[in-house]
């Protein structure tokens, strides 16, 4: 795994915008950063792909353990009223993309190690699936890339299409940066490429029909299937949570992704994994109690690296602000990321679609990967 410095294309902004990545600027430097790339050997990519498939297997076992143990599910800070809907959805396996991004530490030598699984509302999707592939085809046409993500998403939509209504609503929040809007628009593209009609809607525009006991769009049309780029842990704490429970009990709306994703996307799954598979080469030791050694403290429900702290020799050496933490923390043993360039610590985002490895994206940041991270493309060389 080698980081190579490059000269960006003179018209890179126009090129990525033409592919839909309208949000590409960061505070200090571009978010889409083609001033560098990572070169991997085929053997390194094979190890990343194998680790990704193995981690999915571990998550299946951990999910089964959690839904089977009420005491364990209580550790996840999920409102008790939603425990039964989670168990029911886990057993029923409703239609879903079943996709997500494993964030991994990898130095090219030791086995890839799991940091967390972003599988409820994962972003950096368009740049991983489309933008970096187009960059590779133009700049390194003779090389390969670990990337079948676009094809896998379209194929998965096509596979679940018979179980979906004619139209799927796709919802997101009106974020200032446009990151969620870009991701939602891309997922609409993949659904429509599979022959599924979609309707965009902002989360705040979704209404509730009290007479029909159903969610409706701005035209008062019943929503029968909803892809929501909005965390379940936020949904279950909204004022309309009682309506949500009513809806889940009726089972007349297909939620993509399903409510059981609250288990896998919660950091509490990390100690469960370690308890089930202690010493596994793709896991880091994790617990609910403060360990004696160097560790990373993570709130159960944090996003974009918020409220994370790194602790070495009893002192906090890096931390981020945010609004999380009241729900509790887990502690994960510190993994020392390689510093590929001064101040650049890469985290690999290895994607799965319906549980199968489908591609990789890389984000660089400081010691804690946050919403200031930059996306750097990659190639396979040799």
């Amino acid at each position: 795994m080698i980081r190579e410095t490059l000269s960006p294309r003179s018209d890179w902004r126009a090129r990525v915008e033409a592919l839909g990545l309208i949000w590409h600027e960061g505070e200090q430097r571009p978010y889409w950063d083609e001033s560098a790339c990572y070169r991997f050997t085929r053997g390194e990519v094979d190890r990343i792909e194998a680790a990704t498939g193995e981690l999915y297997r571990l998550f299946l076992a951990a999910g089964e353990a959690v839904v089977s143990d009420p005491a364990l599910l209580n550790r996840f800070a999920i409102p008790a009223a939603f425990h039964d809907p989670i168990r029911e959805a886990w057993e029923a396996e409703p239609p879903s993309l079943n996709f997500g991004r494993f964030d991994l530490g990898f130095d090219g030598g030791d086995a890839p190690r799991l940091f967390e699984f972003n599988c409820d509302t994962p972003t950096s999707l368009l740049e991983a699936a489309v933008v970096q592939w187009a960059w590779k085809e133009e700049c390194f046409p003779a090389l390969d890339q670990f990337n079948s993500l676009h094809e896998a998403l379209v194929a998965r939509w096509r596979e679940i299409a018979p179980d979906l209504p004619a139209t799927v609503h796709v919802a997101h929040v009106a974020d200032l940066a446009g990151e969620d809007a870009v991701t939602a628009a891309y997922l609409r593209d993949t659904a429509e490429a599979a022959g599924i009609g979609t309707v965009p809607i902002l989360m705040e525009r979704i209404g509730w029909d009290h007479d029909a006991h159903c969610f409706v769009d701005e035209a008062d049309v019943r929503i029968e299937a909803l892809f929501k780029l909005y965390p379940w842990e936020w949904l279950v704490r909204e004022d309309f949570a009682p309506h949500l429970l009513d809806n889940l009990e009726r089972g007349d709306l297909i939620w993509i992704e399903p409510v059981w994703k609250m288990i896998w996307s919660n950091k509490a799954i990390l100690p469960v994994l370690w308890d089930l598979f202690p010493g596994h080469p793709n896991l880091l030791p994790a617990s609910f109690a403060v360990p004696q050694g160097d560790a990373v403290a993570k709130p159960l429900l944090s996003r974009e690296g918020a409220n994370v702290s790194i602790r070495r020799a009893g002192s906090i050496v890096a931390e981020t602000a945010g609004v999380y933490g009241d729900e509790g923390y887990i502690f994960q043993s510190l993994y020392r990321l390689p510093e590929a360039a001064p101040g650049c610590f890469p985290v690999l985002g290895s994607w799965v679609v319906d549980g199968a490895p489908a591609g990789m994206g890389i984000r660089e940041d400081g010691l804690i990967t946050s919403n200031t991270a930059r996306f750097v493309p990659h190639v396979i060389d040799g």
Side-chain angles (χ1 to χ4, degrees), residues 113 270 274 283-287 331-334:
R113 299 295 188 96
L270 299 172
W274 187 252
L283 299 177
L284 292 167
S287 68
F331 299 87
Q332 190 178 53
S333 289
L334 179 63

Side-chain angles (χ1 to χ4, degrees), residues 232-271:
W232 272 107
E233 65 260 24
W234 293 0
L235 281 173
V236 301
R237 290 172 173 80
E238 302 279 6
D239 291 340
F240 59 73
H243 302 318
L244 181 58
L245 281 169
D246 185 355
N247 172 263
L248 289 170
E249 183 177 352
R250 289 170 176 266
D252 54 6
L253 190 161
I254 297 171
W255 291 89
I256 307 173
E257 297 286 88
V259 67
W260 65 257
K261 279 292 188 84
M262 269 201 289
I263 299 174
W264 281 4
S265 63
N266 190 303
K267 306 301 187 301
I269 198 71
L270 299 172

Side-chain angles (χ1 to χ4, degrees), residues 167-189:
T167 300
V168 174
H169 286 73
V170 178
H172 66 91
V173 294
D175 57 321
L176 294 176
E179 181 180 16
D180 287 0
V182 164
T183 303
Y186 174 60
L187 282 163
R188 287 185 61 212
D189 288 345

Side-chain angles (χ1 to χ4, degrees), residues 32-265:
W32 165 262
D33 189 357
E34 60 181 66
S35 68
C37 78
Y38 282 86
R39 288 178 177 261
F40 292 82
T41 67
R42 175 61 63 182
E44 289 172 335
V45 171
D46 288 347
R47 290 166 61 196
I48 294 164
E49 186 172 2
T52 302
E54 171 67 359
L55 285 168
Y56 184 80
R57 182 187 72 83
L58 302 187
F59 267 79
L60 286 174
E64 187 65 33
V66 172
V67 299
S68 302
D69 186 344
L72 194 53
L73 186 53
N74 285 333
R75 303 299 300 267
F76 282 65
I78 296 170
F82 287 88
H83 289 191
D84 282 343
I86 286 172
R87 295 188 186 95
E88 290 163 5
W90 177 267
E91 295 298 330
E93 298 185 24
S96 71
L97 294 177
N98 194 12
F99 78 133
R101 189 189 75 233
F102 288 107
D103 285 346
L104 308 174
F106 183 59
D107 60 8
D110 293 335
R113 299 295 188 96
L114 173 71
F115 294 148
E116 58 193 60
F117 191 21
N118 296 277
C119 62
D120 184 18
T121 58
T123 53
S124 75
L125 183 59
L126 174 67
E127 45 271 52
V130 175
V131 180
Q132 71 168 340
W133 179 262
W135 164 88
K136 182 209 78 73
E137 289 290 271
E138 180 180 348
C139 298
F140 297 96
L143 301 182
D144 200 359
Q145 190 175 85
F146 178 25
N147 195 352
S148 60
L149 189 48
H150 179 79
E151 294 80 5
L153 286 167
V154 174
R156 180 57 180 167
W157 278 117
R158 190 175 290 121
E159 184 176 358
I160 65 176
D163 298 317
L164 298 177
T167 300
V168 174
H169 286 73
V170 178
H172 66 91
V173 294
D175 57 321
L176 294 176
E179 181 180 16
D180 287 0
V182 164
T183 303
Y186 174 60
L187 282 163
R188 287 185 61 212
D189 288 345
T190 59
E192 291 175 1
I196 298 170
T198 67
V199 173
I201 187 170
L202 293 175
M203 285 296 304
E204 56 266 34
R205 302 290 175 83
I206 295 176
W208 176 258
D209 186 319
H210 290 270
D211 295 327
H213 290 268
C214 66
F215 289 106
V216 295
D217 64 16
E218 296 168 282
D220 288 330
V221 173
R222 184 188 193 119
I223 298 174
E224 297 179 277
L226 179 69
F227 179 93
K228 46 99 204 145
L229 198 67
Y230 193 78
W232 272 107
E233 65 260 24
W234 293 0
L235 281 173
V236 301
R237 290 172 173 80
E238 302 279 6
D239 291 340
F240 59 73
H243 302 318
L244 181 58
L245 281 169
D246 185 355
N247 172 263
L248 289 170
E249 183 177 352
R250 289 170 176 266
D252 54 6
L253 190 161
I254 297 171
W255 291 89
I256 307 173
E257 297 286 88
V259 67
W260 65 257
K261 279 292 188 84
M262 269 201 289
I263 299 174
W264 281 4
S265 63

